[in-house]
Each structure stands twice: as structure tokens, then as C-alpha cells.
Amino acid sequence: MRSPTPYAEALRQFAARDVLRLIVPGHAADPVAVPELAEFFGEQLLRLDVAPLVSGIDLGLYTPYEKALDLAAEAWGAARTWFLTNGSSQANRIAALALGFLGRRDQPVVAQRSAHSSWVDGMIIAGLDVRFVQPAIDLGLGIAHGVSPEALDRALAAAPDAKAAYIVSPSYFGATPDVAGLARVAHEHGVPLVVDAAWGAHYGFHPALPPSPVREGADLAIMSTHKLGGSLTQSAMLHLGHGPFAEVLAPHVDRAFVLEQSTSESAILLASLDLARQHLQTGAERIGASLEAAERLRETIRQAGRFRVASDHFDSPDIVAVDPSRVSIDVGAGGLLGHAVRAVVLRDHDIQFEIATDACVVAIVGPGMRLDVERVAGALHELAADDPEVASAGFLRAELPEPGERRMLVREAAFAPSVIVSAAEAVGRISADSLAAYPPGIPNVMPGEAITAETVEFLQHVAAAPTGFVRGALDPAVAAFRVVA
Ligand SMILES: Cc1ncc(COP(=O)(O)O)c(C=O)c1O
């Protein structure tokens, strides 16, 4: 039996009524009001575009919206769930603000250094004092993995007045740390564990997938349901665990949610969260077929022998599982440049990979999607190592730089008087901005950190790559930096 989708169903029923909409949005679901919209998106999308606060949808006693939230909480094993319409970026800012409300203002948060840049935005907005814990770094592949319970234990012991711990699981590449162990350590130190599980919304919904971090003891879990949960882009969820901090955290999250919420949340995005929850709960067979296809793609790559499956070589003791829905292919092993491969296979084969580094491309096999394994493997193997457009020969790979020395608190540096200087002049100065090579969007420089020559070189190198982008940069080539005056 299909589980109900109360919010989506209430919205659908409202859209089916012939309501004269003298209300925003101004297109009024009238196909002739803004014909461009109706022609482009179809009339049904306009009818579903309903402003908030409608009786029988999200206004009244125990509304379909609240029922949908409860069903989501139950599905992920949470005490409570918040639906979000601005991604895990919004969830990170809410989490940071909630931790800002927790305890005393001067108590630090111990946080994984390789977190997403939206967490750094949250740290600035909330004015958090953060002590960083370093994840294991895979220098060969140029990626950061996870934090071990032992590393978190040491970091919390070194910051006895810390009020919370924050980690990321899974990583962009699917590396999954021991969340249960991390939660145990955090709780032994008397603090809640926040898990940025932006990439793990599907965890727990198939026996081949690792468990949901909420069920492993996370006190708050951030999820981009749109990434691997099946909902529409920008929709996300924040889950409150059942652990010892639920009661104290809930009102702080409620307050932070109001500060970060649009007063015109998209009903379309919210409905997609309700529908994605149902898909995950009832789609084990479809999800299993996708996971099998992902495994077939890995096996095809291994058998052919030219490239390597990068996750086969994740040898960090900090990783306890790897997300099987991600296929990370080390095309560098076959003489190709990841960034160039990603651009060329989209142009020539209509195949779009999620991420590229110098060495790798990563395919995301969304839970439930069908995958033509031969098409993907064939397109990659067709690329010749002597084709200058994609060859890695002669290309200088940039090593992931070590973070520069921390000289000021994140917020202090972000709000300090600042000046804009050239890249050459920026070396040795304190950054006022957060700059993150995208993907994966992990800041290489944070406000308050010294800018190093290696970091400048790395960021300019990423910016110059065909699919590279640096979030927070002042210009596309990263020729200038904002530094503390
Ligand atoms: C670890 C992590 N957290 C948060 C985010 C932000 O998520 P969203 O794009 O849903 O705002 C991302 C985005 O890639 C991410 O990788």
C-alpha cells in the first residue's frame, strides 16, 4: 500500500479547484496572465504554485503540512523534522544559529574543518567561535574524507568548554565516518552532535545503504533531500534526533528556522519533499535496481582495467562505509583529466557527471534512476589519452592546500574593516572572505585564516579549469582577494 502524502495531496486538491485567485503569486494560475510561464512550465505547475497559509493545507488544526512533517520525522527516525526551501545551505545556517542560542555566547563549537561553505556562512551569521578538527585527507585524490571518533574525542578534550560538535557525513565522494561512534563521543563530552548529511538523505532506505545518521545518534541532521532523496532542487530537511539534547535544541531550532525562513515558501518544493519521502519509503525495489546498476558500472570500469574506481582505494581508517550510489572514477589513471572529461562527455555524449577533480569524475546514481551502464563506460573509454583536449599528460595537478594559519575568529575577520588587494599582495594577509573551490564547496580559505601562496595557486587553478568555480571569489579568475585591513 502507498503511504499517504498529506501535504502534496491537499495541494493537488486545491489546484484542481476553480479558485479565482485574487492573491499572490500574481500569475494567479491564469494561463493568459503570464503566458510565457504557462507555455514553458505547463498550466498544472502554475495551479500548484499556491502561497502559504491556506486552510486545509497549512492553516488550521493539525494540518496536512504538519502531518507531512510528522511522517518525514518518522521515516528518518527523528523526533521532529523541518521542511526547508533553500537547501542544506539554509539548514546549515539554521543549525549554526541554533547553536548560537545554545549555552553561552563565548562557548566554542568543535567543527570539522572540511565543512561546506554554507556552514561557514552560518558561523559568521551566528557569530560562533569554532575550534576545528581536521578530517583525514587523501592527498593522491585531492579530497577530504571524514573525522574519526578518536579525533573528535581529542578535539573536544582540548576544548572542555565546547557546547556542540559538528561533522559531515557522508563526504561529497560518499566516504562515511563512524557516526554512531562520533555521537557517542560527543555525548560523553556532554555536547550534541550536528551532522551535515546533505549527501545522505537516502541513507537508511535500503539494506545496501548505511543507516540514517539520525538513527545513529545525531542530534541534528541536515539533509539536501533534493540531492539523493528525490525531491526538487533546493528542497531540504532538518531533523532533530531523539537523543539527550532534543528538548533543549528544539526551541532553538524553531527560533533559528523563523530567522532563516522565507515567508513565501514554495508549495511546489514542499510537496516534493512529501513525495520524496514516500518514494524512499516505498521504492526499495527501484532503489535496489539503481544500486545494482551503480555496482555494474564500477565492475565494468574495473574489468576494462584502464581507469580505477577511486573508492576502491579509500584506505582511510576514518571511513566505515562508502555510499554505493556514487561511482567515483579515477580517469587520471587512464591518462585523462577529470575536468576535461566532464566537459567533453556532456558536449559529445549528453552525459553529465556530478563532480570533476583533476583526477576523477563522479557519477551519482540517484535512488530509483535507471542507468545505461554501457553508454557511460563506452563514452569514457572512447576518450583517447593522446587527445590534447582531454589528456592529462603535461598538465600540472594542483595539490589540495593545507589551510593557512588561523589568526582571527571567523566572525571577527568577516566584520573587520577590509581592503581588496591583488592575489600577489594577498599572500600572508588575513582573509575576510570564505573561498571554496566548487565542487565540492569546502572552503580552502576561511575568514580569519592567513592566505598562503599554495591556496592562491590552487584556487586560480580550479577557476581556470573548464568546469571549475570558486564560491566567494571577487572575480572569476580569483585575481583579487578581500583581506582584513
Ligand atoms: C556537505 C554539504 N553541505 C551543505 C551543502 C549545501 O546544500 P544545498 O545545495 O542543498 O544548499 C552542500 C552542497 O553541495 C554540501 O556538499
Side-chain angles (χ1 to χ4, degrees):
M1 205 190 76
R2 285 163 82 80
S3 67
T5 51
Y7 180 84
E9 183 52 28
L11 186 66
R12 196 185 61 76
Q13 284 178 16
F14 187 85
R17 284 165 55 186
D18 189 17
V19 173
L20 174 61
R21 300 193 192 184
L22 306 175
I23 182 172
V24 291
H27 62 67
D30 178 350
V32 302
V34 188
E36 292 85 350
L37 279 182
E39 277 161 29
F40 194 85
F41 291 117
E43 286 181 35
Q44 177 66 356
L45 189 102
L46 302 195
R47 280 193 290 268
L48 291 168
D49 192 17
V50 172
L53 300 179
V54 177
S55 287
I57 300 180
D58 58 349
L59 192 67
L61 280 180
Y62 198 43
T63 61
Y65 174 68
E66 290 166 311
K67 286 180 194 159
L69 293 177
D70 285 350
L71 286 169
E74 205 180 299
W76 273 273
R80 272 187 67 189
T81 291
W82 289 260
F83 281 1
L84 309 175
T85 54
N86 199 11
S88 286
S89 301
Q90 184 188 5
N92 262 321
R93 293 193 298 270
I94 292 174
L97 280 167
L99 297 184
F101 295 138
L102 180 73
R104 292 191 325 270
R105 293 285 292 140
D106 62 345
Q107 283 183 278
V109 172
V110 168
Q112 181 169 333
R113 171 62 180 77
S114 58
H116 187 254
S117 54
S118 55
W119 163 248
V120 183
D121 302 343
M123 279 162 46
I124 294 170
I125 293 167
L128 292 183
D129 177 7
V130 176
R131 306 290 149 79
F132 291 110
V133 50
Q134 295 297 340
I137 303 276
D138 188 326
L139 285 175
L141 292 169
I143 53 179
H145 292 317
V147 165
S148 66
E150 295 72 27
L152 183 64
D153 189 35
R154 283 193 298 275
L156 284 168
D161 56 342
K163 57 176 166 178
Y166 174 99
I167 61 113
V168 180
S169 173
S171 76
Y172 204 86
F173 281 74
T176 308
D178 175 7
V179 175
L182 288 158
R184 202 168 43 247
V185 164
H187 295 166
E188 278 164 12
H189 284 270
V191 299
L193 179 74
V194 180
V195 178
D196 180 345
W199 288 94
H202 56 315
Y203 275 23
F205 289 98
H206 188 277
L209 292 166
S212 159
V214 190
R215 295 192 195 278
E216 291 203 287
D219 298 288
L220 265 185
I222 288 153
M223 281 178 195
S224 288
T225 323
H226 70 88
K227 290 192 195 297
L228 280 145
S231 62
L232 294 178
T233 296
Q234 230 177 317
S235 61
M237 295 188 196
L238 182 60
H239 303 285
L240 177 75
H242 278 286
F245 297 94
E247 226 170 284
V248 63
L249 282 175
H252 297 322
V253 177
D254 272 331
R255 207 174 151 206
F257 175 71
V258 172
L259 293 180
E260 276 291 334
Q261 183 196 27
S262 165
T263 49
S264 310
E265 287 192 308
S266 162
I268 294 164
L269 295 186
L270 296 175
S272 82
L273 288 169
D274 201 16
L275 295 165
R277 188 262 313 146
Q278 186 194 37
H279 147 69
L280 289 170
Q281 280 186 311
T282 60
E285 210 171 299
R286 285 193 305 275
I287 296 169
S290 302
L291 294 175
E292 275 167 30
E295 184 49 36
R296 271 206 314 284
L297 177 56
R298 277 188 289 272
E299 199 42 41
T300 306
I301 299 290
R302 289 185 195 112
Q303 292 292 325
R306 179 173 167 207
F307 308 124
R308 297 189 323 161
V309 174
S311 55
D312 288 350
H313 305 274
F314 286 179
D315 56 3
S316 165
D318 304 344
I319 299 172
V320 297
V322 177
D323 179 3
S325 36
R326 260 167 277 207
V327 186
S328 47
I329 304 165
D330 180 357
V331 291
L336 304 181
L337 194 59
H339 291 291
V341 168
R342 184 173 187 253
V344 167
V345 294
L346 176 58
R347 187 192 65 198
D348 296 349
H349 294 274
D350 286 335
I351 295 172
Q352 194 179 15
F353 281 98
E354 163 63 33
I355 180 179
T357 63
D358 285 348
C360 292
V361 288
V362 178
I364 300 273
V365 184
M369 84 168 272
R370 292 164 302 166
L371 175 68
D372 183 343
V373 170
E374 284 67 37
R375 180 173 166 204
V376 178
L380 290 176
H381 286 99
E382 205 174 273
L383 299 169
D386 60 359
D387 175 352
E389 203 176 17
V390 287
S392 59
F395 182 86
L396 228 46
R397 271 175 60 175
E399 297 258 310
L400 194 64
E402 291 274 328
E405 186 198 341
R406 167 151 302 284
R407 303 225 187 112
M408 285 172 87
L409 292 181
V410 171
R411 186 181 172 102
E412 243 173 47
F415 285 96
S418 61
V419 286
I420 293 172
V421 297
S422 72
E425 289 166 327
V427 173
R429 305 283 299 263
I430 301 173
S431 180
D433 282 339
S434 157
L435 284 93
Y438 224 103
I442 295 168
N444 306 98
V445 185
M446 290 215 198
E449 280 178 359
I451 298 170
T452 65
E454 293 75 33
T455 306
V456 170
E457 197 188 323
F458 177 81
L459 291 173
Q460 291 186 338
H461 168 86
V462 170
T467 56
F469 164 71
V470 176
R471 182 172 189 251
L474 297 172
D475 61 278
V478 201
F481 285 74
R482 190 190 314 276
V483 296
V484 174

